[in-house]
Amino acid sequence: MKRPTIADIARRAGVSKGAVSYALNGRPGVSEETRARIQAIAQEIGWRPNLAARLLSGAGAGAIGLVVCRPARFLGVEPFFMELISGIEGELAARSCALMLQVAAGHEDEIAVHRRWWGEGRVDGVILVDLHADDPRVPVMEKLGMPAVVIGHPSAAGSLPAVWSDEAAAMREVLEHLAALGHRRVGRVAGPAALAHTAIRDAAFQDSVAALGLDGAPVAHTDYTGEEGARATRRLLSSRARPTAIVYDNDITALAGLSVAQEMRLEVPAGLSIVAWDDSPLCQVVRPPLTALARDIPASGARAAELLLRMAAGEEVTGAEDPAARLRLRGSTAPAP
């Protein structure tokens, strides 16, 4: 788990530590070919210039990192990340440890941030969120030897420890509830299709629809924003086989769907039942209040931070399964019209 050093570069390049120092500091004494080879190795293993002094002091960074590939404006209105960060911060504060938070445009940018943080000794490890199938961040973390904990299903986490809950069980509970109310046409407004947890929910949704003998189940994927949630809801409610219930993958899209239904003079829940994933205060203050899947998001953040700090301290850790989200019934679901 140690960070890369000049000695690591020298060993891989087959040169002395002095030659590495010359090459990385732009000093004469090595050929241009050797300099290029040393610089390429330094880049590959994540070395940065101020690393040596930090390692000589024997001190850790006293911080962990979290990079989020979402628009910065989205984070200000998305309760999930605020709750997650509150849980992480709660665990870190008790240990006098800081959280470094950054927004990135995509995985390549996020990986570059991780390499820089690790090479410069800015963090003792990172938490990865929003895992994709075959996520490119996972093998990079494994190769760097950088402590990392995933918030997501172990199937996409490689050898990294994961904090996760049973998404399929939660989806089955939702569909069973709606079927018991007599709903036959259930639509879904999902998150980004590339996300690993979206794929799990997609599969569980289709499996439950088939097992319960429900009619066709249209699914619209979005970016979790209210704008796309509203657009997807309009498409579903304007179709010939209009659903009598819609399941949303987060609270923001569910609130947008409620607004669209009201604009279309479709009463909730008499004409349309709505279920939101990840209960939040927003689900409780609207009228009608939204039936929602609830889980302890701050606890998941705290657990991920605790595992990461243990991992950074040299302990071998395994992942942790959180309780599955449970359905909280409120005024947005009713018997099918």
Side-chain angles (χ1 to χ4, degrees), residues 36-204:
R37 186 170 79 256
I38 289 171
Q39 290 173 340
I41 292 170
Q43 173 68 23
E44 179 184 348
I45 68 175
W47 182 89
R48 290 299 184 275
N50 71 341
L51 177 61
R54 186 178 296 277
L55 287 183
L56 284 173
S57 73
I64 68 170
L66 174 65
V67 181
V68 180
C69 293
R70 302 278 184 91
R73 61 181 177 81
F74 181 76
L75 296 182
V77 298
E78 220 287 343
F80 172 84
F81 277 109
M82 293 301 99
E83 292 186 36
L84 183 69
I85 290 169
S86 74
I88 294 171
E89 285 281 17
E91 182 68 21
L92 297 182
R95 302 168 184 250
S96 299
C97 190
L99 174 66
M100 291 191 66
L101 175 66
Q102 187 160 332
V103 174
H107 283 163
E108 288 188 7
D109 290 342
E110 180 176 346
I111 289 170
V113 171
H114 290 153
R115 287 185 182 277
R116 185 175 71 251
W117 280 353
W118 184 236
E120 294 176 354
R122 293 178 179 271
V123 298
D124 295 314
V126 294
I127 294 174
L128 301 183
V129 295
D130 285 346
L131 237 62
H132 288 207
D134 299 320
D135 197 297
R137 296 170 294 175
V138 171
V140 171
M141 297 300 104
E142 293 171 332
K143 186 174 182 180
L144 285 177
M146 184 180 190
V149 171
V150 167
I151 296 180
H153 197 271
S155 61
S159 66
L160 305 181
V163 175
W164 62 288
S165 63
D166 192 338
E167 307 269 0
M171 184 63 79
R172 285 194 299 271
E173 184 180 6
V174 171
L175 269 295
E176 287 169 359
H177 169 65
L178 294 174
L181 291 175
H183 292 278
R184 303 289 305 171
R185 296 188 306 279
V186 180
R188 178 160 170 259
V189 174
L195 294 181
H197 71 258
T198 301
I200 292 171
R201 295 179 188 181
D202 284 348

